[in-house]
mmCIF file of all heavy atoms in Angstrom:
data_model
loop_
_atom_site.group_PDB
_atom_site.id
_atom_site.type_symbol
_atom_site.label_atom_id
_atom_site.label_comp_id
_atom_site.label_asym_id
_atom_site.label_seq_id
_atom_site.Cartn_x
_atom_site.Cartn_y
_atom_site.Cartn_z
ATOM 1 N N TRP H 95 59.067 104.138 121.672
ATOM 2 C CA TRP H 95 59.915 104.900 120.744
ATOM 3 C C TRP H 95 60.933 103.952 120.153
ATOM 4 O O TRP H 95 61.421 103.027 120.825
ATOM 5 C CB TRP H 95 60.626 106.018 121.505
ATOM 6 C CG TRP H 95 61.650 106.818 120.734
ATOM 7 C CD1 TRP H 95 61.418 107.890 119.941
ATOM 8 C CD2 TRP H 95 63.079 106.628 120.724
ATOM 9 N NE1 TRP H 95 62.602 108.382 119.428
ATOM 10 C CE2 TRP H 95 63.648 107.619 119.899
ATOM 11 C CE3 TRP H 95 63.934 105.694 121.338
ATOM 12 C CZ2 TRP H 95 65.012 107.718 119.666
ATOM 13 C CZ3 TRP H 95 65.295 105.792 121.102
ATOM 14 C CH2 TRP H 95 65.837 106.799 120.279
ATOM 15 N N HIS H 97 64.512 104.152 117.560
ATOM 16 C CA HIS H 97 65.461 105.167 117.095
ATOM 17 C C HIS H 97 65.576 105.297 115.588
ATOM 18 O O HIS H 97 66.087 106.315 115.089
ATOM 19 C CB HIS H 97 66.859 104.885 117.690
ATOM 20 C CG HIS H 97 67.762 104.044 116.836
ATOM 21 N ND1 HIS H 97 68.112 102.742 117.156
ATOM 22 C CD2 HIS H 97 68.425 104.300 115.667
ATOM 23 C CE1 HIS H 97 68.937 102.263 116.237
ATOM 24 N NE2 HIS H 97 69.136 103.189 115.319
ATOM 25 N N TYR H 101 67.409 108.455 113.590
ATOM 26 C CA TYR H 101 68.870 108.455 113.592
ATOM 27 C C TYR H 101 69.519 107.412 112.685
ATOM 28 O O TYR H 101 70.725 107.503 112.436
ATOM 29 C CB TYR H 101 69.378 108.230 115.026
ATOM 30 C CG TYR H 101 68.887 109.264 116.006
ATOM 31 C CD1 TYR H 101 68.079 108.909 117.074
ATOM 32 C CD2 TYR H 101 69.229 110.611 115.850
ATOM 33 C CE1 TYR H 101 67.622 109.856 117.983
ATOM 34 C CE2 TYR H 101 68.775 111.570 116.752
ATOM 35 C CZ TYR H 101 67.975 111.184 117.812
ATOM 36 O OH TYR H 101 67.519 112.121 118.698
ATOM 37 N N CYS H 103 71.694 104.622 111.421
ATOM 38 C CA CYS H 103 72.857 103.987 112.045
ATOM 39 C C CYS H 103 73.612 104.920 112.994
ATOM 40 O O CYS H 103 74.512 104.469 113.708
ATOM 41 C CB CYS H 103 73.814 103.460 110.972
ATOM 42 S SG CYS H 103 73.486 101.743 110.490
ATOM 43 N N SER H 104 73.260 106.182 113.015
ATOM 44 C CA SER H 104 73.959 107.135 113.882
ATOM 45 C C SER H 104 73.327 107.137 115.272
ATOM 46 O O SER H 104 72.778 108.140 115.740
ATOM 47 C CB SER H 104 73.916 108.540 113.267
ATOM 48 O OG SER H 104 74.550 108.564 112.011
ATOM 49 N N ILE H 105 73.405 106.008 115.936
ATOM 50 C CA ILE H 105 72.772 105.846 117.235
ATOM 51 C C ILE H 105 73.846 105.645 118.298
ATOM 52 O O ILE H 105 74.923 105.114 118.020
ATOM 53 C CB ILE H 105 71.759 104.676 117.227
ATOM 54 C CG1 ILE H 105 70.950 104.636 118.520
ATOM 55 C CG2 ILE H 105 72.468 103.346 116.965
ATOM 56 C CD1 ILE H 105 70.151 105.880 118.802
ATOM 57 N N ASN H 106 73.540 106.095 119.510
ATOM 58 C CA ASN H 106 74.477 105.888 120.614
ATOM 59 C C ASN H 106 73.719 105.991 121.934
ATOM 60 O O ASN H 106 72.525 106.320 121.966
ATOM 61 C CB ASN H 106 75.638 106.890 120.559
ATOM 62 C CG ASN H 106 75.165 108.333 120.550
ATOM 63 O OD1 ASN H 106 74.296 108.722 121.324
ATOM 64 N ND2 ASN H 106 75.746 109.134 119.654
ATOM 65 N N GLU H 107 74.447 105.722 123.012
ATOM 66 C CA GLU H 107 73.837 105.729 124.333
ATOM 67 C C GLU H 107 73.228 107.084 124.675
ATOM 68 O O GLU H 107 72.121 107.155 125.249
ATOM 69 C CB GLU H 107 74.886 105.357 125.382
ATOM 70 C CG GLU H 107 74.388 105.395 126.814
ATOM 71 C CD GLU H 107 75.443 104.970 127.806
ATOM 72 O OE1 GLU H 107 76.269 104.081 127.477
ATOM 73 O OE2 GLU H 107 75.454 105.522 128.927
ATOM 74 N N THR H 108 73.910 108.147 124.324
ATOM 75 C CA THR H 108 73.417 109.485 124.662
ATOM 76 C C THR H 108 72.045 109.744 124.066
ATOM 77 O O THR H 108 71.142 110.269 124.739
ATOM 78 C CB THR H 108 74.414 110.552 124.165
ATOM 79 O OG1 THR H 108 75.676 110.347 124.803
ATOM 80 C CG2 THR H 108 73.915 111.948 124.477
ATOM 81 N N LYS H 109 71.851 109.368 122.810
ATOM 82 C CA LYS H 109 70.567 109.600 122.143
ATOM 83 C C LYS H 109 69.471 108.727 122.730
ATOM 84 O O LYS H 109 68.319 109.163 122.870
ATOM 85 C CB LYS H 109 70.718 109.364 120.635
ATOM 86 C CG LYS H 109 71.602 110.386 119.947
ATOM 87 C CD LYS H 109 71.833 110.037 118.487
ATOM 88 C CE LYS H 109 72.728 111.089 117.809
ATOM 89 N NZ LYS H 109 73.035 110.743 116.400
ATOM 90 N N VAL H 110 69.802 107.488 123.075
ATOM 91 C CA VAL H 110 68.791 106.579 123.638
ATOM 92 C C VAL H 110 68.357 107.066 125.019
ATOM 93 O O VAL H 110 67.160 107.133 125.326
ATOM 94 C CB VAL H 110 69.345 105.144 123.707
ATOM 95 C CG1 VAL H 110 68.343 104.220 124.397
ATOM 96 C CG2 VAL H 110 69.665 104.621 122.304
ATOM 97 N N VAL H 111 69.306 107.421 125.851
ATOM 98 C CA VAL H 111 68.974 107.897 127.198
ATOM 99 C C VAL H 111 68.228 109.233 127.129
ATOM 100 O O VAL H 111 67.317 109.491 127.929
ATOM 101 C CB VAL H 111 70.243 108.001 128.063
ATOM 102 C CG1 VAL H 111 69.929 108.635 129.405
ATOM 103 C CG2 VAL H 111 70.858 106.621 128.250
ATOM 104 N N ALA H 112 68.583 110.059 126.152
ATOM 105 C CA ALA H 112 67.866 111.328 125.978
ATOM 106 C C ALA H 112 66.397 111.076 125.648
ATOM 107 O O ALA H 112 65.506 111.777 126.171
ATOM 108 C CB ALA H 112 68.523 112.162 124.878
ATOM 109 N N ILE H 132 66.061 100.248 120.794
ATOM 110 C CA ILE H 132 67.210 100.411 119.907
ATOM 111 C C ILE H 132 66.992 99.558 118.667
ATOM 112 O O ILE H 132 66.612 98.384 118.770
ATOM 113 C CB ILE H 132 68.514 99.989 120.615
ATOM 114 C CG1 ILE H 132 68.748 100.869 121.856
ATOM 115 C CG2 ILE H 132 69.704 100.055 119.671
ATOM 116 C CD1 ILE H 132 69.911 100.397 122.712
ATOM 117 N N SER H 153 82.163 102.202 121.108
ATOM 118 C CA SER H 153 82.230 103.622 120.764
ATOM 119 C C SER H 153 80.847 104.264 120.792
ATOM 120 O O SER H 153 80.722 105.482 120.959
ATOM 121 C CB SER H 153 82.855 103.800 119.380
ATOM 122 O OG SER H 153 81.997 103.323 118.356
ATOM 123 N N LYS H 154 79.814 103.448 120.633
ATOM 124 C CA LYS H 154 78.438 103.948 120.675
ATOM 125 C C LYS H 154 77.808 103.731 122.050
ATOM 126 O O LYS H 154 77.037 104.563 122.533
ATOM 127 C CB LYS H 154 77.585 103.243 119.604
ATOM 128 C CG LYS H 154 78.022 103.504 118.171
ATOM 129 C CD LYS H 154 77.151 102.717 117.191
ATOM 130 C CE LYS H 154 77.548 103.004 115.747
ATOM 131 N NZ LYS H 154 76.726 102.242 114.769
ATOM 132 N N PHE H 155 78.128 102.586 122.650
ATOM 133 C CA PHE H 155 77.525 102.209 123.929
ATOM 134 C C PHE H 155 78.632 101.818 124.908
ATOM 135 O O PHE H 155 78.890 100.634 125.156
ATOM 136 C CB PHE H 155 76.532 101.061 123.720
ATOM 137 C CG PHE H 155 75.362 101.441 122.847
ATOM 138 C CD1 PHE H 155 75.378 101.185 121.482
ATOM 139 C CD2 PHE H 155 74.267 102.095 123.387
ATOM 140 C CE1 PHE H 155 74.318 101.556 120.676
ATOM 141 C CE2 PHE H 155 73.204 102.475 122.592
ATOM 142 C CZ PHE H 155 73.224 102.201 121.231
ATOM 143 N N PRO H 156 79.329 102.821 125.438
ATOM 144 C CA PRO H 156 80.473 102.538 126.319
ATOM 145 C C PRO H 156 80.096 101.772 127.578
ATOM 146 O O PRO H 156 80.945 101.100 128.165
ATOM 147 C CB PRO H 156 81.014 103.935 126.655
ATOM 148 C CG PRO H 156 79.869 104.865 126.390
ATOM 149 C CD PRO H 156 79.120 104.263 125.246
ATOM 150 N N VAL H 162 72.649 100.859 129.432
ATOM 151 C CA VAL H 162 71.519 101.663 128.969
ATOM 152 C C VAL H 162 70.224 101.149 129.588
ATOM 153 O O VAL H 162 69.380 101.935 130.049
ATOM 154 C CB VAL H 162 71.425 101.636 127.431
ATOM 155 C CG1 VAL H 162 70.220 102.445 126.959
ATOM 156 C CG2 VAL H 162 72.699 102.181 126.793
#
Side-chain angles (χ1 to χ4, degrees):
W95 174 85
H97 93 250
Y101 302 117
C103 269
S104 299
I105 188 59
N106 56 46
E107 177 178 326
T108 299
K109 293 174 180 177
V110 175
V111 174
I132 299 172
S153 69
K154 297 178 178 179
F155 296 95
V162 178

